[in-house]
Amino acid sequence: KVKEKISKKYRLSKYRRKTENAKERERMKKFNEAFTTLRKILPNKEMNDTSDTTTDAEKDTKVSALRSAISYINCLQDLVQDCDAGRLGNEIYKRSLLLDVCEKQKINSEK
């Protein structure tokens, strides 16, 4: 009877472990898909990267994608502030907006 309880408990824990592993795999898959989408949305890294600290080992990691996204967001904030302050002509702002729309269309067509 004790052996029966142990084997039943073991089967339950084995089942639970398998389901938890499946959930974790699915979570990581979604996480990696989000980074792939982020990399597609970001503009060309060579144009955006102003620092010489990027090494070949750090070329296409999740950390580098996040750093690029932060840099891109900061550049967009600067662009909006400059346009609002009148330091940029509306033509530059409209051209930037047009580029963003073209990039979004390109990403949607790849899906």
Side-chain angles (χ1 to χ4, degrees):
K1 199 168 187 173
V2 173
K3 189 176 183 181
E4 188 178 306
K5 285 184 180 180
I6 292 172
S7 63
K8 194 174 183 180
K9 185 177 178 183
Y10 177 73
R11 275 186 267 141
L12 181 63
S13 66
K14 189 175 181 181
Y15 172 75
R16 186 177 294 153
R17 188 172 61 243
K18 282 185 178 183
T19 57
E20 290 299 320
N21 287 345
K23 286 179 186 177
E24 180 64 13
R25 278 193 301 276
E26 186 64 28
R27 187 187 72 81
M28 287 305 296
K29 182 180 174 188
K30 288 180 182 179
F31 186 72
N32 289 329
E33 287 172 356
F35 270 99
T36 300
T37 303
L38 177 64
R39 286 184 187 105
K40 287 179 183 178
I41 291 171
L42 291 172
N44 195 357
K45 197 172 177 183
E46 288 82 10
M47 292 183 347
N48 197 17
D49 193 31
T50 55
S51 66
D52 295 330
T53 60
T54 305
T55 63
D56 290 336
E58 192 188 31
K59 205 170 197 174
D60 196 22
T61 63
K62 291 173 184 165
V63 172
S64 65
L66 289 173
R67 286 181 181 152
S68 295
I70 291 168
S71 175
Y72 182 54
I73 291 168
N74 288 335
C75 288
L76 291 175
Q77 286 176 333
D78 291 343
L79 177 66
V80 170
Q81 288 173 355
D82 287 346
C83 190
D84 288 345
R87 292 185 290 250
L88 291 178
N90 282 337
E91 186 59 36
I92 294 173
Y93 184 73
K94 287 178 185 176
R95 190 172 33 194
S96 174
L97 185 62
L98 184 64
L99 287 173
D100 286 344
V101 169
C102 291
E103 286 293 321
K104 286 179 185 174
Q105 289 173 347
K106 182 178 154 188
I107 290 167
N108 288 336
S109 68
E110 289 175 359
K111 290 181 180 179

